[in-house]
Amino acid sequence: MPENVERRVTEALRVRITESAALTTTPQEAREWILQQAPQDASLLTGTMLAQMVEWHDFAGMSRFALQYGEESGSDEVLAAFLKSAPASSREEVLKLAEKIEDPGVRGEVTARFAR
């Protein structure tokens, strides 16, 4: 996806899920919107969206969605994007989930952010 398109979709997603009226947006609804707006980058944007939603949903719940959508896509990209954008306060959970990422390079990128 060209950088300017990715930036616009990411910003639109951020606004969509952080406006007070949109706080009731479910992960499923946000995922459907992403699939309509940028299907070619749905995994990356879904992971980022789930990490943003941790602000008002619990980390464990958003983790389950990241794992589910990753399984559906057959890729580690959703989980990796989720963990790369996860809040630093979720360090232990991130490191545990990172073990599920098959690609050692991607797993290393995720865990490097949380190295002490």
Side-chain angles (χ1 to χ4, degrees), residues 18-115:
T18 58
E19 291 178 350
S20 60
L23 290 179
T24 59
T25 299
T26 67
Q28 298 92 334
E29 291 167 335
R31 170 93 167 144
E32 290 171 12
W33 184 83
I34 289 168
L35 288 168
Q36 292 171 2
Q37 301 301 313
Q40 69 281 4
D41 293 302
S43 293
L44 171 67
L45 294 171
T46 297
T48 302
M49 171 268 304
L50 291 170
Q52 291 173 347
M53 292 181 105
V54 168
E55 290 184 34
W56 66 92
H57 293 287
D58 65 88
F59 184 87
M62 296 302 98
S63 297
R64 285 190 293 278
F65 281 111
L67 291 168
Q68 173 189 336
Y69 296 143
E71 287 177 18
E72 289 173 5
S73 72
S75 165
D76 287 336
E77 192 172 19
V78 175
L79 181 59
F82 171 68
L83 297 176
K84 286 179 182 178
S85 300
S89 61
S90 302
R91 180 183 185 278
E92 295 303 319
E93 296 98 327
V94 168
L95 293 175
K96 185 175 179 180
L97 281 172
E99 295 173 10
K100 296 181 181 283
I101 298 174
E102 292 183 29
D103 183 314
V106 174
R107 187 172 50 247
E109 289 174 22
V110 170
T111 57
R113 178 173 168 239
F114 293 91

